């Protein structure tokens, strides 16, 4: 089989892979911030809820999470009268990955927040700066920078985990490759999967390059 | 009086750290607090601007009388806007440049317009001879430079009083002088300050009054010449002798 044929076939799966990656990571970031916030509350109920969610989610393999989202969630929601049968597979794929990565990200955010030296909050207070301003102008920017290495790892992890959506019948890069390989009875299998691997490597290299740039420009602000 | 504290008490986990402290700072006065490690000097300073919450005590700052044990939110904010603090570890905002560190309190503590605040900050850096470091982040500055900026950050607020907690203790010996010079210049301008320090040179030469503090209370106080030459209390004599042996 021609290399170009393989590449165009695989590329047909790229939009799905990228959509899953961008949408799930963005939503997981928002949800993760909320979870970290709950987990840092003094209120034991808020903290308990956050920890229960984190415990359950972190103990569930991503593949199983996708299956549970696709097959389990509609059943669960139907018991409270909500019907989501008409949602697309892509929506369920995003949902499953979002749930998983929200938990991992929330831990990254929480530990980064706790790593910011509390002396700076005291200095802000002593200068008459309100806690709200100190939080948004001093603490959060530094916590975000401190969290970068973990965020990068999680984004790379998610890039690879998007390949699991074949279990709910989505045609991403990986499933396109499998499909193509099956069509040719495995003759071009090695070639196809080598090209596929190069595709994921390219994505990961792009992510790494992006983070390298950000880190280079901001290193002085958290040293 | 600029500041007056009366009968300040504070305990940590049932252990009484401050046992009824009285302290006054007059206009233009530099009050230097000396005393053994662990006696509660840091806790005393931090109780004045509510970084610690006292169990009992009265604070008079300008015309305001405040119950240190039960301040309102407004009172806490008011006290913090009329005082400033210089920390042992500088505590500069790491994500802000030198200039921004100095301007931040003016903008977000006192509501000054950003442009004006940055002008004030730039002038302060000029005066210190640190103008070329305006855009440097704390990580790019020496400890001495960081502390000088920490002092400028406090000074530009024109607080009623500046609280210094061992401002030179974390510095390499050769950098101590630059910081003490800034503080001396500030004293000459009449800025009231309370300084906890082990730098006896500063206590002797810059202080208006020296306070010897031990076991959570003021043991004795007086003009530096008197206190160093003729300490009244055995405890003070003992402390001063132990210093003499170390130098
Ligand atoms: N947050 C805290 N929790 C419990 N104990 C504390 C706390 N802060 C201070 N202490 C205790 O209070 C006592 C006084 O501490 P403080 O730091 O005020 O002393 P200091 O006179 O400033 O000492 P140094 O000269 O070493 O700085 C010490 O015994 C210390 O262990
Ligand atoms: Mg101390």
């Amino acid at each position: 089989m021609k290399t170009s044929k393989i590449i165009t076939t695989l590329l047909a799966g790229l939009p799905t892979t990228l959509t899953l990656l961008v949408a799930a990571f963005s939503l997981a970031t928002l949800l993760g911030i909320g979870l970290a916030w709950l987990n840092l509350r003094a209120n034991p109920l808020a903290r308990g809820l956050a920890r229960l969610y984190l415990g359950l989610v972190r103990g569930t393999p991503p593949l199983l999470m996708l299956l549970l989202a696709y097959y389990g969630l509609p059943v669960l929601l139907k018991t409270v009268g909500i019907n989501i049968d008409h949602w697309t597979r892509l929506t369920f794929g995003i949902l499953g990955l979002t749930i998983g990565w929200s938990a991992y990200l929330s831990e990254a955010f929480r530990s980064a927040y706790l790593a910011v030296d509390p002396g700076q909050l005291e200095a802000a207070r002593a200068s008459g700066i309100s806690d709200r301003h100190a939080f948004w102008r001093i603490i959060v920017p530094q916590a975000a920078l401190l969290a970068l290495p973990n965020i990068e790892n999680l984004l790379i992890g998610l890039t690879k985990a998007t390949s699991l959506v074949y279990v709910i019948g989505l045609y991403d890069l990986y499933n396109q490759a499998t499909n193509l390989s099956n069509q040719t009875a495995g003759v071009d299998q090695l070639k196809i999967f080598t090209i596929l691997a190069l595709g994921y490597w390219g994505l990961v290299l792009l992510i790494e390059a992006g983070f390298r740039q950000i880190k280079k420009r901001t290193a002085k602000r958290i040293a | 009086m600029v500041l007056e504290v009366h009968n300040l008490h504070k305990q940590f986990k049932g252990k009484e750290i401050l046992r009824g402290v009285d302290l006054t700072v007059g206009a233009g006065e530099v009050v230097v607090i000396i005393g053994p490690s662990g006696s509660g000097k840091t806790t005393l300073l931090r109780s004045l601007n509510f970084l610690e919450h006292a169990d009992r005590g009265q604070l008079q700052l300008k015309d305001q009388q405040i119950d240190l044990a039960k301040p309102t939110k407004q009172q806490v904010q008011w006290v913090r806007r009329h005082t400033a603090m210089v920390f042992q570890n500088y505590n500069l905002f790491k994500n802000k440049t030198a200039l921004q560190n100095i301007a931040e309190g003016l903008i977000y503590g006192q509501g000054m317009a950003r442009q004006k605040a940055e002008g004030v900050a730039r002038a302060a850096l000029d005066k210190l001879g640190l103008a070329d470091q305006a855009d440097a982040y704390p990580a790019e500055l020496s400890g001495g430079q960081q502390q000088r900026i920490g002092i400028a950050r406090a000074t530009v607020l024109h607080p009623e009083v500046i609280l210094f907690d061992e401002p030179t203790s974390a510095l390499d010996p050769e950098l101590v002088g630059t910081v003490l010079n800034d503080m001396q210049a500030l004293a000459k301008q009449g800025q009231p300050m309370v300084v906890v320090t082990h730098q006896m040179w500063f206590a002797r030469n810059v202080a208006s009054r020296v306070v010897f503090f031990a076991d959570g209370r003021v043991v004795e106080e007086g003009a530096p010449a008197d206190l160093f030459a003729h300490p009244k209390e055995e405890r003070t004599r003992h402390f001063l002798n132990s210093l003499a042996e170390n130098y």
Side-chain angles (χ1 to χ4, degrees), chain A residues 125-130, chain B residues 1-4 48-50 59-66 71-84 109-110 157-161:
Chain A
R125 287 176 171 167
S127 312
I129 297 169
S130 70
Chain B
M1 278 307 148
V2 171
L3 177 146
E4 218 170 319
L48 298 181
N49 62 359
F50 301 104
L59 171 70
Q60 169 131 18
L61 185 64
K62 281 177 90 175
D63 55 346
Q64 292 250 3
Q65 184 75 32
I66 293 160
T72 65
K73 262 192 162 159
Q74 287 76 11
Q75 285 173 326
V76 169
Q77 203 55 22
W78 186 87
V79 168
R80 288 175 175 171
R81 289 205 170 131
H82 289 83
T83 58
Q110 306 198 337
L157 300 171
H158 293 299
E160 296 300 312
V161 58

mmCIF file of all heavy atoms in Angstrom, chain A residues 125-130, chain B residues 1-4 48-50 59-66 71-84 109-110 157-161:
data_model
loop_
_atom_site.group_PDB
_atom_site.id
_atom_site.type_symbol
_atom_site.label_atom_id
_atom_site.label_comp_id
_atom_site.label_asym_id
_atom_site.label_seq_id
_atom_site.Cartn_x
_atom_site.Cartn_y
_atom_site.Cartn_z
ATOM 1 N N ARG A 125 -0.608 41.096 52.655
ATOM 2 C CA ARG A 125 -1.495 41.578 53.719
ATOM 3 C C ARG A 125 -0.867 42.750 54.455
ATOM 4 O O ARG A 125 -1.523 43.756 54.724
ATOM 5 C CB ARG A 125 -1.786 40.452 54.707
ATOM 6 C CG ARG A 125 -2.713 39.407 54.139
ATOM 7 C CD ARG A 125 -2.899 38.272 55.125
ATOM 8 N NE ARG A 125 -3.947 37.381 54.656
ATOM 9 C CZ ARG A 125 -4.170 36.174 55.158
ATOM 10 N NH1 ARG A 125 -3.429 35.725 56.151
ATOM 11 N NH2 ARG A 125 -5.143 35.420 54.686
ATOM 12 N N ALA A 126 0.416 42.603 54.790
ATOM 13 C CA ALA A 126 1.099 43.656 55.543
ATOM 14 C C ALA A 126 1.168 44.955 54.742
ATOM 15 O O ALA A 126 1.295 46.027 55.321
ATOM 16 C CB ALA A 126 2.501 43.200 55.939
ATOM 17 N N SER A 127 1.081 44.868 53.406
ATOM 18 C CA SER A 127 1.078 46.080 52.578
ATOM 19 C C SER A 127 -0.324 46.627 52.382
ATOM 20 O O SER A 127 -0.514 47.558 51.598
ATOM 21 C CB SER A 127 1.675 45.787 51.196
ATOM 22 O OG SER A 127 2.879 45.101 51.300
ATOM 23 N N GLY A 128 -1.307 46.018 53.026
ATOM 24 C CA GLY A 128 -2.676 46.512 52.902
ATOM 25 C C GLY A 128 -3.413 45.988 51.689
ATOM 26 O O GLY A 128 -4.489 46.467 51.346
ATOM 27 N N ILE A 129 -2.822 44.990 51.022
ATOM 28 C CA ILE A 129 -3.470 44.401 49.845
ATOM 29 C C ILE A 129 -4.500 43.374 50.325
ATOM 30 O O ILE A 129 -4.213 42.576 51.222
ATOM 31 C CB ILE A 129 -2.418 43.730 48.933
ATOM 32 C CG1 ILE A 129 -1.442 44.794 48.410
ATOM 33 C CG2 ILE A 129 -3.078 42.979 47.786
ATOM 34 C CD1 ILE A 129 -0.221 44.227 47.713
ATOM 35 N N SER A 130 -5.691 43.398 49.737
ATOM 36 C CA SER A 130 -6.734 42.478 50.189
ATOM 37 C C SER A 130 -6.381 41.048 49.777
ATOM 38 O O SER A 130 -5.624 40.824 48.842
ATOM 39 C CB SER A 130 -8.076 42.863 49.567
ATOM 40 O OG SER A 130 -8.058 42.577 48.181
ATOM 41 N N MET B 1 1.720 60.201 70.493
ATOM 42 C CA MET B 1 2.175 58.846 70.179
ATOM 43 C C MET B 1 1.663 58.398 68.819
ATOM 44 O O MET B 1 0.495 58.597 68.487
ATOM 45 C CB MET B 1 1.646 57.847 71.221
ATOM 46 C CG MET B 1 2.458 57.791 72.499
ATOM 47 S SD MET B 1 4.196 57.514 72.195
ATOM 48 C CE MET B 1 4.865 58.422 73.576
ATOM 49 N N VAL B 2 2.546 57.745 68.060
ATOM 50 C CA VAL B 2 2.119 57.175 66.785
ATOM 51 C C VAL B 2 1.430 55.840 67.031
ATOM 52 O O VAL B 2 0.386 55.534 66.466
ATOM 53 C CB VAL B 2 3.344 56.956 65.876
ATOM 54 C CG1 VAL B 2 2.953 56.174 64.642
ATOM 55 C CG2 VAL B 2 3.969 58.287 65.502
ATOM 56 N N LEU B 3 2.058 55.062 67.886
ATOM 57 C CA LEU B 3 1.526 53.716 68.155
ATOM 58 C C LEU B 3 1.682 53.409 69.635
ATOM 59 O O LEU B 3 2.693 53.764 70.256
ATOM 60 C CB LEU B 3 2.301 52.697 67.314
ATOM 61 C CG LEU B 3 1.981 51.204 67.482
ATOM 62 C CD1 LEU B 3 2.128 50.500 66.155
ATOM 63 C CD2 LEU B 3 2.867 50.542 68.517
ATOM 64 N N GLU B 4 0.674 52.771 70.185
ATOM 65 C CA GLU B 4 0.704 52.422 71.591
ATOM 66 C C GLU B 4 0.056 51.052 71.752
ATOM 67 O O GLU B 4 -1.071 50.857 71.302
ATOM 68 C CB GLU B 4 -0.089 53.486 72.373
ATOM 69 C CG GLU B 4 0.536 53.820 73.689
ATOM 70 C CD GLU B 4 -0.124 55.052 74.342
ATOM 71 O OE1 GLU B 4 -0.434 56.027 73.626
ATOM 72 O OE2 GLU B 4 -0.334 54.987 75.561
ATOM 73 N N LEU B 48 0.889 42.961 65.840
ATOM 74 C CA LEU B 48 0.519 44.367 65.644
ATOM 75 C C LEU B 48 -0.209 44.586 64.319
ATOM 76 O O LEU B 48 -1.051 45.474 64.217
ATOM 77 C CB LEU B 48 1.771 45.260 65.708
ATOM 78 C CG LEU B 48 2.528 45.237 67.036
ATOM 79 C CD1 LEU B 48 3.722 46.175 67.004
ATOM 80 C CD2 LEU B 48 1.593 45.603 68.189
ATOM 81 N N ASN B 49 0.127 43.798 63.283
ATOM 82 C CA ASN B 49 -0.603 43.962 62.021
ATOM 83 C C ASN B 49 -1.480 42.755 61.700
ATOM 84 O O ASN B 49 -1.828 42.504 60.555
ATOM 85 C CB ASN B 49 0.348 44.287 60.862
ATOM 86 C CG ASN B 49 1.352 43.180 60.604
ATOM 87 O OD1 ASN B 49 1.361 42.168 61.314
ATOM 88 N ND2 ASN B 49 2.176 43.359 59.599
ATOM 89 N N PHE B 50 -1.798 41.983 62.739
ATOM 90 C CA PHE B 50 -2.767 40.891 62.639
ATOM 91 C C PHE B 50 -2.313 39.738 61.756
ATOM 92 O O PHE B 50 -3.143 38.980 61.259
ATOM 93 C CB PHE B 50 -4.136 41.413 62.164
ATOM 94 C CG PHE B 50 -4.722 42.446 63.076
ATOM 95 C CD1 PHE B 50 -4.703 43.782 62.725
ATOM 96 C CD2 PHE B 50 -5.274 42.079 64.297
ATOM 97 C CE1 PHE B 50 -5.224 44.737 63.568
ATOM 98 C CE2 PHE B 50 -5.808 43.038 65.148
ATOM 99 C CZ PHE B 50 -5.781 44.376 64.785
ATOM 100 N N LEU B 59 -4.652 48.313 71.002
ATOM 101 C CA LEU B 59 -3.730 48.981 70.098
ATOM 102 C C LEU B 59 -4.273 50.365 69.796
ATOM 103 O O LEU B 59 -5.452 50.517 69.466
ATOM 104 C CB LEU B 59 -3.595 48.198 68.779
ATOM 105 C CG LEU B 59 -2.825 48.909 67.652
ATOM 106 C CD1 LEU B 59 -1.347 49.006 67.972
ATOM 107 C CD2 LEU B 59 -3.028 48.179 66.324
ATOM 108 N N GLN B 60 -3.416 51.366 69.970
ATOM 109 C CA GLN B 60 -3.793 52.698 69.526
ATOM 110 C C GLN B 60 -2.872 53.077 68.384
ATOM 111 O O GLN B 60 -1.642 53.093 68.530
ATOM 112 C CB GLN B 60 -3.661 53.706 70.671
ATOM 113 C CG GLN B 60 -3.775 55.144 70.197
ATOM 114 C CD GLN B 60 -4.752 55.950 71.048
ATOM 115 O OE1 GLN B 60 -5.097 55.563 72.150
ATOM 116 N NE2 GLN B 60 -5.200 57.067 70.511
ATOM 117 N N LEU B 61 -3.463 53.348 67.219
ATOM 118 C CA LEU B 61 -2.670 53.763 66.060
ATOM 119 C C LEU B 61 -3.322 55.038 65.554
ATOM 120 O O LEU B 61 -4.515 55.038 65.242
ATOM 121 C CB LEU B 61 -2.694 52.665 64.995
ATOM 122 C CG LEU B 61 -1.829 52.893 63.765
ATOM 123 C CD1 LEU B 61 -0.355 52.949 64.106
ATOM 124 C CD2 LEU B 61 -2.072 51.785 62.740
ATOM 125 N N LYS B 62 -2.553 56.102 65.451
ATOM 126 C CA LYS B 62 -3.121 57.422 65.169
ATOM 127 C C LYS B 62 -4.254 57.672 66.152
ATOM 128 O O LYS B 62 -4.069 57.538 67.354
ATOM 129 C CB LYS B 62 -3.599 57.527 63.727
ATOM 130 C CG LYS B 62 -2.474 57.761 62.741
ATOM 131 C CD LYS B 62 -2.981 57.787 61.324
ATOM 132 C CE LYS B 62 -3.377 59.191 60.879
ATOM 133 N NZ LYS B 62 -3.742 59.190 59.453
ATOM 134 N N ASP B 63 -5.432 57.957 65.611
ATOM 135 C CA ASP B 63 -6.549 58.281 66.507
ATOM 136 C C ASP B 63 -7.452 57.080 66.766
ATOM 137 O O ASP B 63 -8.501 57.215 67.381
ATOM 138 C CB ASP B 63 -7.365 59.430 65.901
ATOM 139 C CG ASP B 63 -7.815 59.086 64.495
ATOM 140 O OD1 ASP B 63 -7.280 58.109 63.924
ATOM 141 O OD2 ASP B 63 -8.700 59.775 63.972
ATOM 142 N N GLN B 64 -7.044 55.908 66.288
ATOM 143 C CA GLN B 64 -7.930 54.743 66.408
ATOM 144 C C GLN B 64 -7.542 53.860 67.583
ATOM 145 O O GLN B 64 -6.365 53.518 67.738
ATOM 146 C CB GLN B 64 -7.857 53.897 65.130
ATOM 147 C CG GLN B 64 -8.439 54.583 63.928
ATOM 148 C CD GLN B 64 -9.729 53.943 63.474
ATOM 149 O OE1 GLN B 64 -10.228 53.002 64.106
ATOM 150 N NE2 GLN B 64 -10.263 54.455 62.386
ATOM 151 N N GLN B 65 -8.534 53.459 68.335
ATOM 152 C CA GLN B 65 -8.338 52.558 69.461
ATOM 153 C C GLN B 65 -8.905 51.198 69.055
ATOM 154 O O GLN B 65 -10.086 51.111 68.717
ATOM 155 C CB GLN B 65 -9.071 53.121 70.680
ATOM 156 C CG GLN B 65 -8.873 52.348 71.954
ATOM 157 C CD GLN B 65 -7.501 52.583 72.568
ATOM 158 O OE1 GLN B 65 -6.944 53.653 72.438
ATOM 159 N NE2 GLN B 65 -6.958 51.562 73.204
ATOM 160 N N ILE B 66 -8.070 50.153 69.059
ATOM 161 C CA ILE B 66 -8.517 48.864 68.535
ATOM 162 C C ILE B 66 -8.272 47.758 69.542
ATOM 163 O O ILE B 66 -7.197 47.662 70.151
ATOM 164 C CB ILE B 66 -7.793 48.539 67.210
ATOM 165 C CG1 ILE B 66 -8.237 49.541 66.130
ATOM 166 C CG2 ILE B 66 -8.075 47.116 66.757
ATOM 167 C CD1 ILE B 66 -7.292 49.652 64.973
ATOM 168 N N PRO B 71 -10.788 42.530 66.620
ATOM 169 C CA PRO B 71 -10.835 43.610 65.633
ATOM 170 C C PRO B 71 -11.918 43.325 64.599
ATOM 171 O O PRO B 71 -12.207 42.160 64.316
ATOM 172 C CB PRO B 71 -9.458 43.541 64.978
ATOM 173 C CG PRO B 71 -9.084 42.090 65.071
ATOM 174 C CD PRO B 71 -9.690 41.580 66.353
ATOM 175 N N THR B 72 -12.519 44.366 64.066
ATOM 176 C CA THR B 72 -13.423 44.157 62.929
ATOM 177 C C THR B 72 -12.557 44.010 61.676
ATOM 178 O O THR B 72 -11.380 44.364 61.665
ATOM 179 C CB THR B 72 -14.371 45.348 62.734
ATOM 180 O OG1 THR B 72 -13.570 46.489 62.385
ATOM 181 C CG2 THR B 72 -15.158 45.644 63.985
ATOM 182 N N LYS B 73 -13.169 43.481 60.631
ATOM 183 C CA LYS B 73 -12.457 43.340 59.355
ATOM 184 C C LYS B 73 -11.926 44.686 58.878
ATOM 185 O O LYS B 73 -10.816 44.791 58.372
ATOM 186 C CB LYS B 73 -13.408 42.783 58.285
ATOM 187 C CG LYS B 73 -13.264 41.294 58.080
ATOM 188 C CD LYS B 73 -14.010 40.874 56.818
ATOM 189 C CE LYS B 73 -13.525 39.514 56.361
ATOM 190 N NZ LYS B 73 -14.440 38.820 55.498
ATOM 191 N N GLN B 74 -12.750 45.714 59.059
ATOM 192 C CA GLN B 74 -12.347 47.058 58.635
ATOM 193 C C GLN B 74 -11.133 47.535 59.419
ATOM 194 O O GLN B 74 -10.244 48.159 58.859
ATOM 195 C CB GLN B 74 -13.499 48.064 58.839
ATOM 196 C CG GLN B 74 -14.650 47.940 57.853
ATOM 197 C CD GLN B 74 -15.562 46.749 58.167
ATOM 198 O OE1 GLN B 74 -15.451 46.122 59.237
ATOM 199 N NE2 GLN B 74 -16.443 46.404 57.254
ATOM 200 N N GLN B 75 -11.125 47.210 60.721
ATOM 201 C CA GLN B 75 -9.991 47.638 61.536
ATOM 202 C C GLN B 75 -8.707 46.933 61.119
ATOM 203 O O GLN B 75 -7.646 47.555 61.045
ATOM 204 C CB GLN B 75 -10.284 47.387 63.020
ATOM 205 C CG GLN B 75 -11.263 48.404 63.606
ATOM 206 C CD GLN B 75 -11.666 48.043 65.022
ATOM 207 O OE1 GLN B 75 -11.787 46.864 65.376
ATOM 208 N NE2 GLN B 75 -11.879 49.047 65.858
ATOM 209 N N VAL B 76 -8.822 45.626 60.835
ATOM 210 C CA VAL B 76 -7.643 44.881 60.389
ATOM 211 C C VAL B 76 -7.083 45.537 59.125
ATOM 212 O O VAL B 76 -5.891 45.823 59.020
ATOM 213 C CB VAL B 76 -7.999 43.402 60.107
ATOM 214 C CG1 VAL B 76 -6.850 42.692 59.393
ATOM 215 C CG2 VAL B 76 -8.332 42.683 61.402
ATOM 216 N N GLN B 77 -7.970 45.796 58.186
ATOM 217 C CA GLN B 77 -7.549 46.391 56.918
ATOM 218 C C GLN B 77 -6.983 47.792 57.141
ATOM 219 O O GLN B 77 -5.975 48.175 56.549
ATOM 220 C CB GLN B 77 -8.755 46.418 55.967
ATOM 221 C CG GLN B 77 -8.395 46.469 54.506
ATOM 222 C CD GLN B 77 -7.470 45.331 54.094
ATOM 223 O OE1 GLN B 77 -7.390 44.299 54.744
ATOM 224 N NE2 GLN B 77 -6.726 45.545 53.011
ATOM 225 N N TRP B 78 -7.597 48.537 58.033
ATOM 226 C CA TRP B 78 -7.145 49.907 58.308
ATOM 227 C C TRP B 78 -5.732 49.887 58.891
ATOM 228 O O TRP B 78 -4.863 50.653 58.476
ATOM 229 C CB TRP B 78 -8.126 50.596 59.265
ATOM 230 C CG TRP B 78 -7.815 52.049 59.474
ATOM 231 C CD1 TRP B 78 -8.243 53.092 58.705
ATOM 232 C CD2 TRP B 78 -6.994 52.609 60.509
ATOM 233 N NE1 TRP B 78 -7.738 54.273 59.190
ATOM 234 C CE2 TRP B 78 -6.972 54.010 60.291
ATOM 235 C CE3 TRP B 78 -6.285 52.077 61.582
ATOM 236 C CZ2 TRP B 78 -6.263 54.874 61.118
ATOM 237 C CZ3 TRP B 78 -5.569 52.936 62.401
ATOM 238 C CH2 TRP B 78 -5.573 54.326 62.172
ATOM 239 N N VAL B 79 -5.504 48.999 59.860
ATOM 240 C CA VAL B 79 -4.175 48.913 60.473
ATOM 241 C C VAL B 79 -3.133 48.522 59.433
ATOM 242 O O VAL B 79 -2.050 49.090 59.358
ATOM 243 C CB VAL B 79 -4.171 47.892 61.638
ATOM 244 C CG1 VAL B 79 -2.751 47.569 62.086
ATOM 245 C CG2 VAL B 79 -4.997 48.415 62.804
ATOM 246 N N ARG B 80 -3.505 47.551 58.583
ATOM 247 C CA ARG B 80 -2.535 47.098 57.573
ATOM 248 C C ARG B 80 -2.248 48.185 56.543
ATOM 249 O O ARG B 80 -1.170 48.222 55.970
ATOM 250 C CB ARG B 80 -3.055 45.836 56.889
ATOM 251 C CG ARG B 80 -2.984 44.627 57.816
ATOM 252 C CD ARG B 80 -3.611 43.421 57.180
ATOM 253 N NE ARG B 80 -3.448 42.234 58.009
ATOM 254 C CZ ARG B 80 -4.050 41.080 57.777
ATOM 255 N NH1 ARG B 80 -4.875 40.965 56.749
ATOM 256 N NH2 ARG B 80 -3.842 40.057 58.569
ATOM 257 N N ARG B 81 -3.226 49.051 56.297
ATOM 258 C CA ARG B 81 -2.984 50.132 55.340
ATOM 259 C C ARG B 81 -2.176 51.265 55.948
ATOM 260 O O ARG B 81 -1.665 52.106 55.219
ATOM 261 C CB ARG B 81 -4.324 50.691 54.827
ATOM 262 C CG ARG B 81 -4.985 49.695 53.918
ATOM 263 C CD ARG B 81 -5.929 50.291 52.915
ATOM 264 N NE ARG B 81 -6.274 49.230 51.979
ATOM 265 C CZ ARG B 81 -7.505 48.922 51.606
ATOM 266 N NH1 ARG B 81 -8.516 49.643 52.033
ATOM 267 N NH2 ARG B 81 -7.723 47.937 50.769
ATOM 268 N N HIS B 82 -2.072 51.297 57.272
ATOM 269 C CA HIS B 82 -1.332 52.381 57.919
ATOM 270 C C HIS B 82 -0.031 51.919 58.558
ATOM 271 O O HIS B 82 0.617 52.669 59.269
ATOM 272 C CB HIS B 82 -2.224 53.085 58.946
ATOM 273 C CG HIS B 82 -3.309 53.895 58.291
ATOM 274 N ND1 HIS B 82 -4.492 53.338 57.866
ATOM 275 C CD2 HIS B 82 -3.361 55.199 57.941
ATOM 276 C CE1 HIS B 82 -5.235 54.280 57.312
ATOM 277 N NE2 HIS B 82 -4.578 55.408 57.329
ATOM 278 N N THR B 83 0.302 50.638 58.317
ATOM 279 C CA THR B 83 1.595 50.134 58.784
ATOM 280 C C THR B 83 2.232 49.381 57.616
ATOM 281 O O THR B 83 1.588 49.171 56.595
ATOM 282 C CB THR B 83 1.431 49.141 59.961
ATOM 283 O OG1 THR B 83 0.597 48.068 59.531
ATOM 284 C CG2 THR B 83 0.825 49.812 61.179
ATOM 285 N N ALA B 84 3.477 49.006 57.763
ATOM 286 C CA ALA B 84 4.119 48.172 56.755
ATOM 287 C C ALA B 84 5.114 47.292 57.472
ATOM 288 O O ALA B 84 5.448 47.541 58.636
ATOM 289 C CB ALA B 84 4.816 49.020 55.701
ATOM 290 N N GLY B 109 -3.257 48.387 47.666
ATOM 291 C CA GLY B 109 -3.509 48.677 49.072
ATOM 292 C C GLY B 109 -4.091 50.070 49.235
ATOM 293 O O GLY B 109 -4.990 50.298 50.039
ATOM 294 N N GLN B 110 -3.567 51.025 48.447
ATOM 295 C CA GLN B 110 -3.958 52.415 48.655
ATOM 296 C C GLN B 110 -4.755 52.998 47.504
ATOM 297 O O GLN B 110 -5.147 54.166 47.551
ATOM 298 C CB GLN B 110 -2.704 53.254 48.914
ATOM 299 C CG GLN B 110 -1.885 52.661 50.066
ATOM 300 C CD GLN B 110 -0.891 53.616 50.655
ATOM 301 O OE1 GLN B 110 -0.470 54.566 50.018
ATOM 302 N NE2 GLN B 110 -0.515 53.370 51.901
ATOM 303 N N LEU B 157 4.753 53.454 51.003
ATOM 304 C CA LEU B 157 3.377 53.493 51.500
ATOM 305 C C LEU B 157 3.190 54.616 52.524
ATOM 306 O O LEU B 157 2.079 54.890 52.942
ATOM 307 C CB LEU B 157 3.013 52.143 52.143
ATOM 308 C CG LEU B 157 3.093 50.925 51.211
ATOM 309 C CD1 LEU B 157 2.929 49.632 51.999
ATOM 310 C CD2 LEU B 157 2.026 51.010 50.118
ATOM 311 N N HIS B 158 4.302 55.254 52.932
ATOM 312 C CA HIS B 158 4.259 56.276 53.980
ATOM 313 C C HIS B 158 3.436 55.834 55.168
ATOM 314 O O HIS B 158 2.509 56.521 55.607
ATOM 315 C CB HIS B 158 3.719 57.596 53.433
ATOM 316 C CG HIS B 158 4.650 58.224 52.447
ATOM 317 N ND1 HIS B 158 5.926 58.613 52.773
ATOM 318 C CD2 HIS B 158 4.504 58.490 51.133
ATOM 319 C CE1 HIS B 158 6.536 59.101 51.703
ATOM 320 N NE2 HIS B 158 5.705 59.029 50.677
ATOM 321 N N PRO B 159 3.777 54.663 55.727
ATOM 322 C CA PRO B 159 2.997 54.149 56.850
ATOM 323 C C PRO B 159 3.286 54.942 58.125
ATOM 324 O O PRO B 159 4.321 55.605 58.225
ATOM 325 C CB PRO B 159 3.487 52.709 56.979
ATOM 326 C CG PRO B 159 4.862 52.724 56.417
ATOM 327 C CD PRO B 159 4.886 53.772 55.355
ATOM 328 N N GLU B 160 2.381 54.845 59.064
ATOM 329 C CA GLU B 160 2.592 55.474 60.367
ATOM 330 C C GLU B 160 3.830 54.887 61.028
ATOM 331 O O GLU B 160 4.568 55.580 61.710
ATOM 332 C CB GLU B 160 1.390 55.237 61.279
ATOM 333 C CG GLU B 160 0.083 55.865 60.807
ATOM 334 C CD GLU B 160 0.210 57.364 60.677
ATOM 335 O OE1 GLU B 160 0.724 57.995 61.626
ATOM 336 O OE2 GLU B 160 -0.198 57.896 59.626
ATOM 337 N N VAL B 161 4.005 53.581 60.825
ATOM 338 C CA VAL B 161 5.161 52.905 61.416
ATOM 339 C C VAL B 161 5.532 51.714 60.528
ATOM 340 O O VAL B 161 4.663 51.090 59.917
ATOM 341 C CB VAL B 161 4.854 52.467 62.872
ATOM 342 C CG1 VAL B 161 3.660 51.544 62.935
ATOM 343 C CG2 VAL B 161 6.065 51.804 63.532
#
